[in-house]
Amino acid sequence: MAPFTKPMPIFNDLKALATGLFVTWKHIFRRPVTVEYPDAKRTPYPRYRARIVLTRDPDGGERCVACYLCSAACPVDCISMEAAEGEGGRRYARWFRINFSRCIFCGLCAEACPTLAIQMTPDYEICERDVMELVYEKEDLLIDGCGKDPEYNFYRHAGIGVVNPRGGNPDEEPPVDVRGLMP
Amino acid sequence: MPKLIIDHIPVEVPAGTSVLEAAKSVGIWIPHFCYHPALGSVGACRLCAVKMVDGPVKGIQMSCMLPAQDGMVVSTTDPEALKMRSLVIEWLMTNHPHDCPVCDEGGECLLQDYTVAGGHGIRRYEGKKRTHENQDLGPYIEHEMNRCIQCYRCVRFYQDFAGGSDFGVMGSARRVYYGRFQEGKLESPFSGNLVDICPTGVFTDKTARFRARYWDYEMAPSVCPHCSLGCNTVPAARYRELLKTIARENPAVNGPFICDRGRFSNAAVNDPARPRMPLVDGKEASWDEALDALMLRITELEEVYGPGSLAVVGSPRLPLEGNILLARLAELLGAGYLCYFADREEGERVAAAVSLLAEGRAASMADVRKADCVVILEADLRDEGPMMLLAVRQAWRSGAPVFLVGKHAPLEQARAVSVEAIELNIIEEVPLAIFERAVVICGTRNSTPAAIALLARAEAKIAPLLPGPNAFGAGLLAREHGAVTLAEAAASGKVKGILAVEADIPEELLARVPFVVALDWLPTETVRRAQVVLPTAAWVEADGTYVSFEGRAQRFRKVMAPGLPIRGLPARYHASPDKSAPFHPPRVHRSVPPGGDLRPAWRVVAELVERFGGERVEELFEGRWEQLRDLDPEGGGVRLLG
Ligand code: SF4
Ligand code: SF4
Ligand code: SF4
Ligand code: SF4
Ligand code: FES
């Protein structure tokens, strides 16, 4: 058995009690942390995860290429879309729908997105009385800005010649001349 | 029979088997790109590296190029082999574009899978990427050469396996290019297989471009309905639209490939003109109303024209279930005639072909591939059974002579697969007796029934090409029930009403009868002329069975729920019917999708059987059909012979 090292544990107990009570009293005289929503509103941090938007690239084009990755990543299956081919071979979403009555704002879609198109915003006030109003279509989601990462344009890296001609991106060689005779 | 040890598992394989195949036979998967079971090995990709720990060769080896030998000890998980494989992936990726999100192969891409498996995530190579220009390869196939990893599968399939000559490999070294000399439509009738066979996204299905990802498809094992060969397929649907058809391997039938007709004929299922609602005299009706009207009119018909004035007509494209039940319905109705074929000659030719095929006489496509002599008798395989042509080429590649016999066996079919064929006038000129595994492929479109029956004396296996995916089943049933063809029935002058179940009735016959009922999923002339139309489900919208040309019964499964495709859905199904239709799916709830209240033909027939006083249909397959009760759609099918 361990030697009896604390001869008077009662003092320690009292000290603990007093510390606890002190914390309690300290908070009684503090300003409350709760706010009187909706009269008072907090400003969430920029990385707060609420209403989702679809952003545009710095050249103004739709960033989303309708790759279906966000809808695959979404644990509650609330994203659906259909891809189509636009001018110059650009892939885009013909329609894109997020059902916010199901969304749990986990942010996995934004994490999965290879083009940084889908982003979470701090706008948390999206309640509606009619549940259909919570089903957002593409026109409700698409914004006129880049959101986070304002420089990124997927098509400048993808290497299939949509924004720049084939072989025209900085990390590409000009297209091969198959009929060339040089070694 | 060499014995070797792979990952501590002893394996014995036939001589000539590669280490890769030996490993596969015991369930060990060695990653590979260029090896393909139908195309063999070329050692182009270097991904199949394994470590030979002991035995006749040692060190890192390409398992696809190394024949299994006695005493080999192979490790597929040795760190050296793993390192080699991950480096191969990394160097294949040095030129690969960063475009998985816009690539249709994404999600079903071998390169994607092995890149993830190899752990390659961050680019270390700092050089620039090689790029290529693409070609327009016609309406079916999209070309994106930047994605190529130089595995040569496409050329080996296109030129060696399928005998195409308008597509190949060009250039040298780092510039090798897979395409046509000039842009243009790929000429081979098997070009669609490039989509399946390319391990990356160089060739993708243009008809379903960008429409969905692999994980979103509704898919099920199915059978191609576009000719009598019964190739196995996997149709893929999304948003109530049939988008793609992918080949499904069946070694006895199509092997791993299908033809372009089977792959790209999906539009009929999505056709907005399809019958979607029961119609009575051209007006939409509920199922109950339509069935009531139908009963009333059939009773009236018999009152007016006397009993036996109705002909119940099945067809070679109606799945077996419906065709079997029709006999029960005809009996209950006291119908004058039960028919499975409209055209007299067609019915007789199929009957002749069906009775020809006894045990051991029917040739499967696998038999054709292994044949030592092939006779194509009065047939143009490009039209009557394209995959048979590919099978003929495989026989020819292993040395079998190919004979084209008769006036209706054009030489162009052989040219389409680069086969040298000998043209003859009559089959007696072919020295069949000197061959051991000869096969006669007999067209039934232009041969007379007598000519077909003569084949009973030929010393060869027979492969008759029939006029529909279930023509054999219809032929068997016609014989079982002593059915006549509709043409014969009509000739008697007694037929005043036709109940056509997925049957194509010639116009002159339609014109002769006052009362027509059509059960169909296609908007045919018969449907347009019918007083009562009952819309049925297409083959991808219900389970069913087809009996192929060789008497092989194959089950197919329901792939998708029926309904008007979401793309192009008319405005009246949307929340604001008076505005133009938006792209997105409707914002209104419905329990049944628009145009989705279709029933499989056999169910409609079963309902009629019950309404006309028959017993409830509990079991379709009785008597000789009993063996089809629990047919496994992935089990290769069951042979029923004539
Ligand atoms: S935040 Fe989560 S739940 Fe909401 S759409 Fe994205 S992935 Fe789905
Ligand atoms: S992951 Fe991004 S690019 Fe892909 S569909 Fe979703 S939002 Fe669009
Ligand atoms: S195009 Fe596809 S199949 Fe052909 S070599 Fe390139 S990766 Fe292989
Ligand atoms: S050969 Fe006939 S059954 Fe086979 S895929 Fe082509 S059309 Fe379909
Ligand atoms: S599979 Fe062996 S080298 Fe490609």
Side-chain angles (χ1 to χ4, degrees), chain A residues 105-131:
Chain A
F105 302 101
C106 61
L108 290 182
C109 50
E111 209 156 306
C113 181
T115 65
L116 308 177
I118 193 166
Q119 298 186 4
M120 316 295 290
T121 72
D123 174 17
Y124 54 85
E125 293 182 297
I126 56 170
C127 292
E128 300 284 353
R129 289 202 177 269
D130 176 6
V131 77

Side-chain angles (χ1 to χ4, degrees), chain A residues 156-169:
Chain A
R156 296 202 180 280
H157 304 270
I160 53 160
V162 166
V163 173
N164 288 329
R166 288 182 83 80
N169 284 332

Side-chain angles (χ1 to χ4, degrees), chain B residues 180-311:
Chain B
R180 284 169 53 93
F181 189 68
Q182 273 177 333
E183 285 202 337
K185 183 171 184 281
L186 287 167
E187 283 161 16
S188 169
F190 309 102
S191 63
N193 291 300
L194 293 179
V195 174
D196 287 356
I197 207 153
C198 175
T200 80
V202 177
F203 304 105
T204 49
D205 189 330
K206 203 183 247 182
T207 61
R209 187 152 163 80
F210 295 163
R211 299 301 301 282
R213 286 270 178 235
Y214 194 72
W215 55 74
D216 283 331
Y217 285 139
E218 295 172 77
M219 295 192 274
S222 191
V223 176
C224 176
H226 299 295
C227 80
S228 66
L229 298 187
C231 296
N232 291 200
T233 59
V234 183
R238 176 74 169 150
Y239 295 133
R240 301 200 294 265
E241 198 169 342
L242 183 61
L243 294 176
K244 272 193 193 183
T245 300
I246 304 162
R248 178 164 64 94
E249 179 157 11
N250 184 336
V253 184
N254 51 317
F257 306 113
I258 54 172
C259 77
D260 285 1
R261 190 200 302 169
R263 188 182 298 269
F264 297 117
S265 306
N266 300 319
V269 176
N270 311 322
D271 187 354
R274 260 180 74 177
R276 297 270 179 191
M277 283 285 285
L279 299 178
V280 178
D281 296 325
K283 284 195 212 66
E284 294 193 351
S286 72
W287 274 95
D288 270 330
E289 286 162 8
L291 288 169
D292 287 342
L294 173 61
M295 284 177 68
L296 191 69
R297 298 210 185 172
I298 289 182
T299 325
E300 280 172 6
L301 184 82
E302 300 200 331
E303 276 164 14
V304 176
Y305 296 103
S309 47
L310 182 73

Side-chain angles (χ1 to χ4, degrees), chain A residues 82 97 132 166 179 182, chain B residues 132 144 175 181 585 587:
Chain A
E82 195 194 340
R97 174 182 276 186
M132 276 314 281
R166 288 182 83 80
R179 297 199 177 86
M182 296 302 284
Chain B
H132 282 294
E144 178 45 75
R175 300 175 304 179
F181 189 68
R587 296 173 65 87

Side-chain angles (χ1 to χ4, degrees), chain B residues 351-374:
Chain B
V354 165
S355 43
L356 206 58
L357 297 193
E359 203 58 60
R361 294 233 54 199
S364 66
M365 276 201 266
D367 292 328
V368 175
R369 286 191 283 269
K370 284 191 237 100
D372 59 357
C373 163
V374 180

Side-chain angles (χ1 to χ4, degrees), chain B residues 368-372 374 390-401:
Chain B
V368 175
R369 286 191 283 269
K370 284 191 237 100
D372 59 357
V374 180
L390 201 56
V392 171
R393 177 166 165 90
Q394 305 324 309
W396 181 81
R397 282 174 80 199
S398 21

Side-chain angles (χ1 to χ4, degrees), chain B residues 601-620:
Chain B
W602 73 266
R603 264 196 190 286
V604 185
V605 179
E607 171 101 29
L608 287 174
V609 166
E610 278 164 43
R611 281 178 177 243
F612 279 101
E615 280 171 27
R616 219 187 124 66
V617 179
E618 304 279 358
E619 185 51 64
L620 288 164

